[in-house]
Amino acid sequence: MSEATRRWRRGTLVRDRALSASARSVTFAVPDWPGAAAGQHVDVRLTAPDGYQAVRSYSLARAGTDREIELAVERLPDGEVSPFLVDELEPGDEVELRGPLGGWFVWRPGEQRPVQLIAGGSGIVPLVAIARAHAAADSTAPMRLLASVRTPESALYRDELEQLRATAPTRWHYTRVAPPGWTGPVGRLSPRDLEREVIAGSQHPLVYVCGPTGFVEAVARTLIDLGQTADSIRTERFGGT
Amino acid sequence: MMRPLDGNVLAGPVSGLFAFDATSTRAQCDGCGDVAMIAQAMVYGEPMGYVVRCRLCDSVLLVVVERARHRLLSMPGVRWLRVDTQDDGPAGP
Amino acid sequence: MAVFGGRHRESNPSLPPGQYETQSFPVLSAGPTPEIDTAEWEFFIHTETGPSRRWTWDQFRALPAEDITPDIHCVTSWSKFDTPWRGVSLDTLFADVETDLDFVMAHSYGGYTTNLPLEEILDGRAWIAYEYDGDDLEPEHGGPARLLVPHLYFWKSAKWIRGLVMQSEDNPGFWEQYGYHNHGDPWREERYA
């Protein structure tokens, strides 16, 4: 891990847009940003006027060597940092950033194996970065995304993923409310759903699972029961419920 | 409800403690002998500190406590760390 | 420009320095939640002469209990006011214990430890609590029973308590050996050693 990675650098908010009622995409200009691999995250540090600091980790929604980084932040009900980033931060404001971080939950364009991405809620963010990197590299490795969301309105990056349909098709799964006309199942991802939607273990896919801890554990356990090998499943859990 | 995170979250807190990305380093648990990436371990105890436990036997592999002016790292349950150096040069035979 | 405030530093005389008030009950744990069957549960006190007292769950529940509503303060900066507990005073548990040792190591199911001076847990200042807000203490909050030492930072209130071992020195427990304060008084901000 290099000096460049562990240093805190200043990022200036240059663009933002709502992703849902509770999530916001925020893009920061970071003049000396070294670039990131798909799936990596950054730590964001906020400092109050009296010196109090809070640090949280957020996945990057886009890999690459631009001098800009895009994060997607979901407002947590009892959060301290996320409500500030979603509701208060204004263009021109600065935060401190440390990264890029993580070397395991990463997809690199040289990878030839089929890739199955599985997201729970805002766990989709690093998987969007992977799908984007896959398209940008013209990778020939098959890639699919299965995205579990509570309601159609809580789906993040739906339009972007629609544009990536040719290289990394997305299957949406609804746990609470499905869109009108939906004929598929509604509810938690079942073993049967995973068996139907996930690239079979016989094709030796790399599987990336990101979401709340309970979601990741349930999905990973089921995949192993369905014959995927544990070493081919890469997981990233975040807190919350 | 306290849910554990996994070792990916350690990438920032341990950055700079090692000359490599510790989360994609393999370690052997001194308790049960399991070999896994640090990223695959279970992490508890945030924000007091990061208590990194074996994914199989719950032994404490590492503890990281971040403070304003220093970071403390303890490795009470790691038998060894294996650092992959293939990014630094040509792969061996 | 948006100014980050954090959610602490309210001026309330009931709040120790650097704390903020929360209405929720955050859960912080250094390990997985152990499953403890009260049929197997025990609580013990060991002294310099070895095992001194031991209670089964039924024996423990037959002891006189108290209702208390202390404020609690976590070193991670949240405080919670008027928390309703029911439990057995350490004075009751130590009534027949003879010891010349001045310090205690609390041991929990799951392996957690924390150290305390004996005088800090006597004289109506500490309990083994088994109810919260009128219900059995939930496992994630330390059930079936936890140590409750509300005048110290809450990591001292060991969840899933199993026993107390008297010690001659104030040897550090789990967090204390990694730099947290041996004493942990929130009013003096004794967060770190």
Side-chain angles (χ1 to χ4, degrees), chain A residues 93-135:
Chain A
D93 287 348
E94 289 190 340
V95 301
E96 286 181 293
L97 301 155
R98 174 170 70 181
L101 299 170
W104 190 68
F105 194 84
V106 161
W107 180 83
R108 297 183 193 281
E111 183 61 61
Q112 297 301 313
R113 291 168 68 181
V115 179
Q116 177 69 54
L117 310 173
I118 305 177
S122 58
I124 203 167
V125 178
L127 306 184
V128 169
I130 291 174
R132 285 169 158 173
H134 175 262

Side-chain angles (χ1 to χ4, degrees), chain A residues 12-71:
Chain A
T12 306
L13 184 67
V14 290
R15 272 194 306 288
D16 70 300
R17 71 192 167 92
L19 294 171
S20 74
S22 59
R24 182 192 198 192
S25 159
V26 283
T27 298
F28 296 93
V30 187
D32 49 355
W33 180 247
Q40 287 191 296
H41 67 272
V42 294
D43 286 351
V44 175
R45 182 165 75 179
L46 302 178
T47 304
D50 68 353
Y52 172 80
Q53 293 186 321
V55 178
R56 298 291 185 279
S57 297
Y58 293 102
S59 289
L60 294 161
R62 187 185 293 280
T65 54
D66 293 349
R67 295 295 184 248
E68 291 188 350
I69 66 167
E70 179 188 352
L71 312 180

Side-chain angles (χ1 to χ4, degrees), chain A residues 46-50 52-54 56 78-81 84 88-90 93-94, chain C residues 1-9 18 20-26 76-77:
Chain A
L46 302 178
T47 304
D50 68 353
Y52 172 80
Q53 293 186 321
R56 298 291 185 279
D78 197 30
E80 177 180 24
V81 171
F84 179 80
E88 296 186 41
L89 199 68
E90 299 168 6
D93 287 348
E94 289 190 340
Chain C
M1 189 182 88
V3 177
F4 176 65
R7 55 176 176 199
H8 68 311
R9 302 178 315 279
Y20 71 90
E21 184 191 354
T22 182
Q23 303 293 331
S24 66
F25 196 162
T76 62
S77 296

Side-chain angles (χ1 to χ4, degrees), chain A residues 26-222:
Chain A
V26 283
T27 298
F28 296 93
V30 187
D32 49 355
W33 180 247
Q40 287 191 296
H41 67 272
V42 294
D43 286 351
V44 175
R45 182 165 75 179
L46 302 178
T47 304
D50 68 353
Y52 172 80
Q53 293 186 321
V55 178
R56 298 291 185 279
S57 297
Y58 293 102
S59 289
L60 294 161
R62 187 185 293 280
T65 54
D66 293 349
R67 295 295 184 248
E68 291 188 350
I69 66 167
E70 179 188 352
L71 312 180
V73 183
E74 178 119 54
R75 184 194 308 111
L76 300 176
D78 197 30
E80 177 180 24
V81 171
S82 61
F84 179 80
L85 294 177
V86 173
D87 301 324
E88 296 186 41
L89 199 68
E90 299 168 6
D93 287 348
E94 289 190 340
V95 301
E96 286 181 293
L97 301 155
R98 174 170 70 181
L101 299 170
W104 190 68
F105 194 84
V106 161
W107 180 83
R108 297 183 193 281
E111 183 61 61
Q112 297 301 313
R113 291 168 68 181
V115 179
Q116 177 69 54
L117 310 173
I118 305 177
S122 58
I124 203 167
V125 178
L127 306 184
V128 169
I130 291 174
R132 285 169 158 173
H134 175 262
D138 290 325
S139 169
T140 56
M143 180 176 285
R144 275 156 55 170
L145 169 60
L146 173 61
S148 173
V149 292
R150 292 160 64 94
T151 66
E153 294 73 30
S154 60
L156 310 184
Y157 290 105
R158 184 189 291 273
D159 293 346
E160 289 79 357
L161 289 166
E162 180 62 22
Q163 288 168 18
L164 297 174
R165 161 180 75 193
T167 54
T170 301
R171 291 297 290 254
W172 295 94
H173 181 89
Y174 301 95
T175 62
R176 295 281 174 84
V177 179
W182 182 257
T183 54
V186 175
R188 288 187 172 207
L189 275 176
S190 67
R192 184 182 290 181
D193 297 328
L194 288 168
E195 186 166 28
R196 187 177 60 244
E197 302 291 351
V198 170
I199 298 173
S202 58
Q203 297 182 50
H204 306 292
L206 264 176
V207 184
Y208 294 79
V209 189
C210 185
T213 294
F215 173 88
V216 169
E217 280 176 10
V219 168
R221 205 178 308 122
T222 304

Side-chain angles (χ1 to χ4, degrees), chain B residues 1-2 44-51 53 58 60 63-67 72 74 76, chain C residues 27-33 74-76 110 140 155 174-175 177-180 192-193:
Chain B
M1 179 84 184
M2 169 89 181
Y44 298 83
E46 217 190 351
M48 265 186 96
Y50 298 85
V51 181
R53 290 177 179 266
D58 288 328
V60 179
V63 177
V64 182
V65 176
E66 277 200 287
R67 291 176 51 186
L72 178 145
S74 174
Chain C
V27 172
L28 199 156
S29 176
T33 299
C74 179
V75 70
T76 62
E140 70 181 55
W155 90 78
F174 182 83
W175 285 117
Q177 69 181 321
Y178 299 123
Y180 281 90
Y192 300 107

Side-chain angles (χ1 to χ4, degrees), chain C residues 32-51:
Chain C
T33 299
E35 288 180 24
I36 306 158
D37 182 350
T38 51
E40 310 283 321
W41 185 90
E42 62 168 358
F43 177 75
F44 61 75
I45 298 175
H46 286 198
T47 66
E48 56 269 46
T49 57

Side-chain angles (χ1 to χ4, degrees), chain B residues 2 10 12 15 40 53-55 59 69-70 76 78 82 92:
Chain B
M2 169 89 181
L10 295 173
S15 65
Q40 294 174 284
R53 290 177 179 266
C54 174
R55 60 180 180 166
S59 291
R69 284 179 189 76
H70 69 256
V78 174
R82 198 188 76 194

